[in-house]
Amino acid sequence: MITLKAVNKSEAVRYLGGAGVQMNEAMERLLGECEAELLSCAAPKYLYSVIDLPCDEITMGSAVKKHLAGCQSAALFCATLGAQVDRLIRVYQIRDMARAVVLDSLASAAIEQACVMADEEIAAKLPGKYLTFRFSPGYGDYPLELQRIILQRLDAARKIGLTVSDSMLLTPAKSVTAVMGISDSPIEQKRRGCAVCSLGKTCKYRKSGEHCGL
Amino acid sequence: MDFNTLLKKEYIILDGAMGTLIQKSGAQYDHSPETLNLTRPELIESFHRAYIEAGADIVYANTFGANAYKLADSGYSVEEVIAAGVQNAKNAAAGTDALVALDIGPIGMLLEPAGTLRFEEAYEYFRQQIVAGAQADVIVLETMTDLYELKAAVLAVKENSSKPVLTTMTFERSGRTFTGVSPAAAAVTLTGLGVDALGVNCSLGPDELEPVISEMTKYTDLPLIVKANAGLPDPNSNEYSIMPDRFAQCVEGLLKYGVKFAGGCCGTTPEYIKELKQMLDGKSFVPCPKTADTAVCSASTVVEINGPRIIGERINPTGKKLFKQALVDNNIDYILTQALSQVGGGAEILDVNVGHPEIDEKKMMTRVLKSIQSVCDAPLQIDSTKPDVLEAGLRCYNGKPIVNSVNGEEKSLSSVLPLVKKYGASVVGLTLDENGIPKTADGRFRIAERIVSRAEALGIDRRDVYIDCLTLTVSAEQEACRETLKALHRVKTELGCKTCLGVSNISFGLPNRELVNSTFLTMALEEGLDLPIINPNVEAMTGAVRAYRVLASIDKHSTEFIEAYNSAAPAPAAKSETTMDLTTAVYNGLKTEAAAVTEALLKDSEPMSIINNMLIPALDRVGEDFEKNKIFLPQLIQSANTAQECFEVIKRRLSKEGGENVSKGKIILATVKGDIHDIGKNIVKVLLDNYGYTVVDLGKDVDPQLVVDTAIEQNIKMIGLSALMTTTLKSMEDTIRLVREAPALQNPDGTSRCVVFVGGAVLTREYAMKIGADYYCRDAKESVDTAKKVLG
């Protein structure tokens, strides 16, 4: 059970394309109002389950194999902010697009925060084990189809209302699926980095010489 | 034993979990547990038998996930898996009184608007299961979290079978389902749709269900179902927290709410069912009649008609030029804005009328209803003179709507009332017939009586008939006002019906119409008007209703009144109109000021000169600053919205003068098939709008053919497409190809008449060119630049 008390606003500002943009009072206020509204309707939830490795169904492609190298088991993971966040953003796309854009960025920051909190809870339940970072379908050659398999294995539709469409979009939108390697011995901490990222050269941060931080 | 005989029992015991037994047995299956129906029939049969021996009156066949979506790669057909599942249960029930239920769970994909699965597609999945399960005695729809999906399933049952149907939904601790459905809305909607019993299953333990069950029972007379989990699972051991005896105790505590069906869900075993049976033995059913008045609802919000409730009248093209244009242009956002602003003004229900000779009303009605429901919680009133439009609307509506309307004419009674019954709606009954509107109150009362008796003959509760005694124009017939009020009073007191009334007709032809309208409204409220149909954004009208609620002691302690008025900050006094120049106002996103300055400027400037010399340069400056990373995207949007406000002021002036059109050209925008993330497309839309282009927004998940058809029909030369995911880029490519191939969109020399620009997170310029686009636009600003280049 995780609860968000605040959203990482500087992260959201970065999603808004804001590195280097001068903040002003009006923007600060807008961010604050949107944060309060987002927190009032976000219902972060996550699921995980530990599987033994090797597991062919889960380890498709070379990127994930590399990621899980040296791990004896793995945690399947998914998380969502819930359907009400999608609706909130949809409503503001009609009422006030500027707010919708801010809410969308805040929600992206919030789901990552929720995942980090979940990571910590999971790690605490696996004492003596070492976890890799969350590796998501779409990274490198890890197929998006894995979203469906992960969600099915976790019974996510029934348990937290998280589903995937035929075209592999997660609904609710502010959601994550991933797999984390679990090892008995310390693992070299790999960063996610651009090399495995599905955005590749199209990433707007990379184009401007920045990094998304993941 | 058949279901009706079974219903005579005091309590009906349902089975416990199937999945838990399968898991405990360690039985292996390849794809989904339902395939065990074919690979391990004897095992599944033994589970059913165990439940029957424990006391279950109804066992659920192992068919929960046996739909075409979930079984897609299993190697088995829906028909095979379901037939075998039902047969296994039948074998176990043979020689006993137990009945077999075809068990149907959610499809596993989210329906529109949150997901991509269309209502009609969901219906088809369910229909297939229902036909395949023809041998079952009962149909169960369970573990539903989306009322819309459940409605598709109930309709599929009703239209393809005559079996009884039991429905249960799954609620969270918040008291709502994942999609935000409230227990009250579920009860109101499902009771209307004619299910045989309703209730809850899964998710929570029986110790946590009291809030949900006690709310449901207020809104229905149907028997309730409780099929709870055995508490919560321990994530490590997967053991559940509530033991059989405690489980039965908790269920016992819920019996007072009219629970007649009890069983178990996840974590329960035959032990639990045995305990339930022991607890229920010798007990009598406790009926729990509904306490709520007639109500209508969306999936999340129930409006009980237990006092005056405001119906917003603004979604109606009659006499509104801009609204008509929005319908012709498919400008759904315009209508959505109207919806949200009425709710903001105090409307609790919204009337929806999209009748216009130049459009396909049926298509538009379903599109508008679905769109409004995706952003607005208020229940809706489906308003059309055409029964086929009403039916299309009723079918796709999520919740219990009002039908507007039926009248005393035979043709109307016989075509509209059966629809109201079938789809479980309320209906407005107009007191007119073949002979027009009776002059006297007595004449109108008699028509009301006729409508009510016809409704009741079909099984429609008279409290679901909202009689409209019709407002006539007082300047033409001064006595008519009294007759309307007299009729209204009699309908309310003698027929026991709710009443509604369109108010503003009263004042046609008079000065100070608002004063006449609000006075008439107050008089009508005092005579018993429940549902005034008004413009909620006229403060005097909404205020009259709110004040009446206080004075009639409906709004207890004046809570709602104080909430509406106490916190409302007085509107900031408009700044002196001349102190700010238009460019500054637009740059800083100050809507009110910018509109005021524009009004002032229009007194002595040409509209086009304001646009070209002030608005566009201001927008250009904002755009440049955005490109230079000086301002944020939301600021760009705010400025653009402010410019839009100014354009509106100018447009209104021009349409008054009947002058030139300010549109700089039409552009189609669509988020491609399969893609539902359309915020990027919507940002582009706002900017293009604000730069003076007319955007034909086809929405999200758009079929390629629709893009082509719209381009041809409306002779549009510029098309913008967005896609978010690598998986949907293919749809983008398909759409472009179809546009290029359509002969009607080609020049005589075979070249394309349409310019296609594309954008989206995963696109690159190279890829855009490869799939045949003319332009790649990095962001909304670049889309505007492209439009300028192409259309000027």
Side-chain angles (χ1 to χ4, degrees), chain A residues 15-18 21 27 98 101-102 105, chain B residues 626 631-639 683 687 779-781:
Chain A
Y15 295 148
L16 284 172
V21 183
M27 261 310 281
V101 170
V102 173
S105 299
Chain B
F626 173 70
I631 59 168
F632 289 104
L633 178 60
Q635 293 171 298
L636 171 67
I637 295 170
Q638 280 171 336
S639 290
I683 296 170
L687 285 196
D779 55 25
K781 174 66 177 41

mmCIF file of all heavy atoms in Angstrom, chain A residues 15-18 21 27 98 101-102 105, chain B residues 626 631-639 683 687 779-781:
data_model
loop_
_atom_site.group_PDB
_atom_site.id
_atom_site.type_symbol
_atom_site.label_atom_id
_atom_site.label_comp_id
_atom_site.label_asym_id
_atom_site.label_seq_id
_atom_site.Cartn_x
_atom_site.Cartn_y
_atom_site.Cartn_z
ATOM 1 N N TYR A 15 9.585 17.330 -17.712
ATOM 2 C CA TYR A 15 8.730 16.739 -18.751
ATOM 3 C C TYR A 15 8.051 17.824 -19.572
ATOM 4 O O TYR A 15 7.710 17.627 -20.720
ATOM 5 C CB TYR A 15 7.652 15.823 -18.137
ATOM 6 C CG TYR A 15 8.197 14.592 -17.436
ATOM 7 C CD1 TYR A 15 7.537 14.064 -16.334
ATOM 8 C CD2 TYR A 15 9.343 13.957 -17.886
ATOM 9 C CE1 TYR A 15 8.018 12.945 -15.675
ATOM 10 C CE2 TYR A 15 9.837 12.836 -17.240
ATOM 11 C CZ TYR A 15 9.169 12.332 -16.137
ATOM 12 O OH TYR A 15 9.642 11.230 -15.498
ATOM 13 N N LEU A 16 7.812 18.961 -18.947
ATOM 14 C CA LEU A 16 7.171 20.066 -19.666
ATOM 15 C C LEU A 16 8.156 20.741 -20.616
ATOM 16 O O LEU A 16 7.841 21.736 -21.237
ATOM 17 C CB LEU A 16 6.632 21.099 -18.676
ATOM 18 C CG LEU A 16 5.354 20.733 -17.934
ATOM 19 C CD1 LEU A 16 5.051 21.747 -16.855
ATOM 20 C CD2 LEU A 16 4.183 20.642 -18.896
ATOM 21 N N GLY A 17 9.330 20.212 -20.680
ATOM 22 C CA GLY A 17 10.342 20.772 -21.577
ATOM 23 C C GLY A 17 11.025 21.962 -20.955
ATOM 24 O O GLY A 17 11.471 22.874 -21.640
ATOM 25 N N GLY A 18 11.088 21.949 -19.621
ATOM 26 C CA GLY A 18 11.434 23.179 -18.945
ATOM 27 C C GLY A 18 12.875 23.400 -18.551
ATOM 28 O O GLY A 18 13.177 24.406 -17.930
ATOM 29 N N VAL A 21 14.070 26.920 -18.662
ATOM 30 C CA VAL A 21 13.022 27.931 -18.732
ATOM 31 C C VAL A 21 12.879 28.589 -17.365
ATOM 32 O O VAL A 21 12.902 27.921 -16.332
ATOM 33 C CB VAL A 21 11.676 27.314 -19.155
ATOM 34 C CG1 VAL A 21 10.622 28.393 -19.296
ATOM 35 C CG2 VAL A 21 11.828 26.536 -20.444
ATOM 36 N N MET A 27 3.306 30.106 -13.105
ATOM 37 C CA MET A 27 3.577 28.687 -13.357
ATOM 38 C C MET A 27 3.657 27.911 -12.039
ATOM 39 O O MET A 27 3.148 26.800 -11.932
ATOM 40 C CB MET A 27 4.907 28.530 -14.100
ATOM 41 C CG MET A 27 4.814 28.346 -15.606
ATOM 42 S SD MET A 27 3.666 27.079 -16.162
ATOM 43 C CE MET A 27 4.625 25.603 -15.901
ATOM 44 N N ALA A 98 -4.055 23.969 -20.862
ATOM 45 C CA ALA A 98 -2.794 24.250 -20.173
ATOM 46 C C ALA A 98 -2.691 23.391 -18.908
ATOM 47 O O ALA A 98 -1.658 22.813 -18.590
ATOM 48 C CB ALA A 98 -2.713 25.728 -19.828
ATOM 49 N N VAL A 101 -1.985 19.712 -19.665
ATOM 50 C CA VAL A 101 -0.587 19.437 -19.959
ATOM 51 C C VAL A 101 0.223 19.345 -18.666
ATOM 52 O O VAL A 101 1.058 18.455 -18.495
ATOM 53 C CB VAL A 101 -0.023 20.542 -20.885
ATOM 54 C CG1 VAL A 101 1.478 20.425 -21.011
ATOM 55 C CG2 VAL A 101 -0.677 20.460 -22.250
ATOM 56 N N VAL A 102 -0.060 20.246 -17.748
ATOM 57 C CA VAL A 102 0.650 20.222 -16.465
ATOM 58 C C VAL A 102 0.293 18.941 -15.696
ATOM 59 O O VAL A 102 1.172 18.254 -15.156
ATOM 60 C CB VAL A 102 0.308 21.472 -15.629
ATOM 61 C CG1 VAL A 102 0.903 21.364 -14.239
ATOM 62 C CG2 VAL A 102 0.829 22.723 -16.332
ATOM 63 N N SER A 105 2.069 15.899 -17.084
ATOM 64 C CA SER A 105 3.476 15.811 -16.684
ATOM 65 C C SER A 105 3.611 15.406 -15.213
ATOM 66 O O SER A 105 4.454 14.587 -14.863
ATOM 67 C CB SER A 105 4.171 17.160 -16.887
ATOM 68 O OG SER A 105 4.133 17.518 -18.231
ATOM 69 N N PHE B 626 8.523 30.358 -26.995
ATOM 70 C CA PHE B 626 8.430 28.936 -26.675
ATOM 71 C C PHE B 626 9.568 28.174 -27.353
ATOM 72 O O PHE B 626 10.239 27.345 -26.743
ATOM 73 C CB PHE B 626 7.076 28.385 -27.125
ATOM 74 C CG PHE B 626 6.964 26.899 -26.990
ATOM 75 C CD1 PHE B 626 6.884 26.301 -25.737
ATOM 76 C CD2 PHE B 626 6.952 26.074 -28.106
ATOM 77 C CE1 PHE B 626 6.798 24.925 -25.608
ATOM 78 C CE2 PHE B 626 6.860 24.702 -27.989
ATOM 79 C CZ PHE B 626 6.782 24.123 -26.737
ATOM 80 N N ILE B 631 9.542 30.177 -22.441
ATOM 81 C CA ILE B 631 8.307 29.906 -21.702
ATOM 82 C C ILE B 631 7.956 28.422 -21.821
ATOM 83 O O ILE B 631 8.447 27.722 -22.701
ATOM 84 C CB ILE B 631 7.115 30.749 -22.212
ATOM 85 C CG1 ILE B 631 6.872 30.462 -23.692
ATOM 86 C CG2 ILE B 631 7.339 32.224 -21.954
ATOM 87 C CD1 ILE B 631 5.559 31.016 -24.181
ATOM 88 N N PHE B 632 7.084 27.993 -20.915
ATOM 89 C CA PHE B 632 6.649 26.600 -20.898
ATOM 90 C C PHE B 632 5.489 26.370 -21.861
ATOM 91 O O PHE B 632 4.743 27.297 -22.191
ATOM 92 C CB PHE B 632 6.159 26.222 -19.498
ATOM 93 C CG PHE B 632 7.252 26.103 -18.487
ATOM 94 C CD1 PHE B 632 7.456 27.097 -17.546
ATOM 95 C CD2 PHE B 632 8.073 24.992 -18.466
ATOM 96 C CE1 PHE B 632 8.439 26.978 -16.586
ATOM 97 C CE2 PHE B 632 9.069 24.863 -17.515
ATOM 98 C CZ PHE B 632 9.260 25.862 -16.576
ATOM 99 N N LEU B 633 5.311 25.098 -22.228
ATOM 100 C CA LEU B 633 4.183 24.736 -23.076
ATOM 101 C C LEU B 633 2.834 25.216 -22.514
ATOM 102 O O LEU B 633 2.025 25.775 -23.246
ATOM 103 C CB LEU B 633 4.178 23.220 -23.309
ATOM 104 C CG LEU B 633 3.029 22.670 -24.136
ATOM 105 C CD1 LEU B 633 3.001 23.273 -25.529
ATOM 106 C CD2 LEU B 633 3.124 21.139 -24.248
ATOM 107 N N PRO B 634 2.549 25.017 -21.213
ATOM 108 C CA PRO B 634 1.254 25.487 -20.712
ATOM 109 C C PRO B 634 1.060 26.988 -20.921
ATOM 110 O O PRO B 634 -0.060 27.451 -21.152
ATOM 111 C CB PRO B 634 1.305 25.165 -19.212
ATOM 112 C CG PRO B 634 2.321 24.104 -19.079
ATOM 113 C CD PRO B 634 3.315 24.295 -20.181
ATOM 114 N N GLN B 635 2.159 27.739 -20.861
ATOM 115 C CA GLN B 635 2.027 29.181 -21.074
ATOM 116 C C GLN B 635 1.689 29.486 -22.530
ATOM 117 O O GLN B 635 0.879 30.363 -22.818
ATOM 118 C CB GLN B 635 3.328 29.877 -20.657
ATOM 119 C CG GLN B 635 3.554 29.779 -19.158
ATOM 120 C CD GLN B 635 4.938 30.265 -18.750
ATOM 121 O OE1 GLN B 635 5.944 29.706 -19.167
ATOM 122 N NE2 GLN B 635 4.968 31.304 -17.943
ATOM 123 N N LEU B 636 2.321 28.735 -23.426
ATOM 124 C CA LEU B 636 1.989 28.883 -24.845
ATOM 125 C C LEU B 636 0.503 28.603 -25.057
ATOM 126 O O LEU B 636 -0.198 29.333 -25.755
ATOM 127 C CB LEU B 636 2.843 27.915 -25.671
ATOM 128 C CG LEU B 636 2.491 27.766 -27.161
ATOM 129 C CD1 LEU B 636 2.770 29.041 -27.929
ATOM 130 C CD2 LEU B 636 3.273 26.611 -27.799
ATOM 131 N N ILE B 637 0.030 27.549 -24.409
ATOM 132 C CA ILE B 637 -1.381 27.173 -24.572
ATOM 133 C C ILE B 637 -2.294 28.247 -23.980
ATOM 134 O O ILE B 637 -3.305 28.618 -24.572
ATOM 135 C CB ILE B 637 -1.651 25.803 -23.917
ATOM 136 C CG1 ILE B 637 -0.874 24.726 -24.655
ATOM 137 C CG2 ILE B 637 -3.129 25.491 -23.919
ATOM 138 C CD1 ILE B 637 -0.875 23.383 -23.951
ATOM 139 N N GLN B 638 -1.915 28.754 -22.810
ATOM 140 C CA GLN B 638 -2.750 29.790 -22.190
ATOM 141 C C GLN B 638 -2.847 31.017 -23.092
ATOM 142 O O GLN B 638 -3.925 31.599 -23.252
ATOM 143 C CB GLN B 638 -2.182 30.183 -20.826
ATOM 144 C CG GLN B 638 -2.561 29.182 -19.750
ATOM 145 C CD GLN B 638 -1.841 29.426 -18.435
ATOM 146 O OE1 GLN B 638 -0.765 30.025 -18.399
ATOM 147 N NE2 GLN B 638 -2.438 28.965 -17.357
ATOM 148 N N SER B 639 -1.744 31.388 -23.684
ATOM 149 C CA SER B 639 -1.764 32.531 -24.591
ATOM 150 C C SER B 639 -2.641 32.238 -25.795
ATOM 151 O O SER B 639 -3.438 33.067 -26.232
ATOM 152 C CB SER B 639 -0.350 32.849 -25.074
ATOM 153 O OG SER B 639 0.399 33.361 -24.008
ATOM 154 N N ILE B 683 -3.485 19.192 -28.140
ATOM 155 C CA ILE B 683 -2.711 20.433 -28.004
ATOM 156 C C ILE B 683 -2.574 21.106 -29.372
ATOM 157 O O ILE B 683 -2.786 22.313 -29.519
ATOM 158 C CB ILE B 683 -1.312 20.140 -27.407
ATOM 159 C CG1 ILE B 683 -1.454 19.596 -25.982
ATOM 160 C CG2 ILE B 683 -0.447 21.390 -27.403
ATOM 161 C CD1 ILE B 683 -0.158 19.044 -25.401
ATOM 162 N N LEU B 687 -3.968 24.924 -30.609
ATOM 163 C CA LEU B 687 -3.155 25.955 -31.256
ATOM 164 C C LEU B 687 -3.678 26.301 -32.648
ATOM 165 O O LEU B 687 -3.786 27.472 -33.003
ATOM 166 C CB LEU B 687 -1.695 25.502 -31.328
ATOM 167 C CG LEU B 687 -0.917 25.558 -30.014
ATOM 168 C CD1 LEU B 687 0.567 25.477 -30.278
ATOM 169 C CD2 LEU B 687 -1.216 26.813 -29.220
ATOM 170 N N ASP B 779 6.468 19.513 -32.732
ATOM 171 C CA ASP B 779 5.558 19.903 -31.652
ATOM 172 C C ASP B 779 4.409 20.726 -32.235
ATOM 173 O O ASP B 779 4.327 20.932 -33.437
ATOM 174 C CB ASP B 779 6.306 20.685 -30.566
ATOM 175 C CG ASP B 779 7.030 21.895 -31.132
ATOM 176 O OD1 ASP B 779 6.603 22.402 -32.187
ATOM 177 O OD2 ASP B 779 8.035 22.304 -30.520
ATOM 178 N N ALA B 780 3.535 21.166 -31.336
ATOM 179 C CA ALA B 780 2.335 21.871 -31.774
ATOM 180 C C ALA B 780 2.695 23.152 -32.530
ATOM 181 O O ALA B 780 2.042 23.530 -33.503
ATOM 182 C CB ALA B 780 1.460 22.193 -30.571
ATOM 183 N N LYS B 781 3.734 23.802 -32.069
ATOM 184 C CA LYS B 781 4.145 25.049 -32.710
ATOM 185 C C LYS B 781 4.533 24.807 -34.170
ATOM 186 O O LYS B 781 4.154 25.565 -35.061
ATOM 187 C CB LYS B 781 5.329 25.634 -31.910
ATOM 188 C CG LYS B 781 5.969 26.854 -32.519
ATOM 189 C CD LYS B 781 5.002 28.029 -32.506
ATOM 190 C CE LYS B 781 5.618 29.317 -33.036
ATOM 191 N NZ LYS B 781 6.441 29.201 -34.178
#
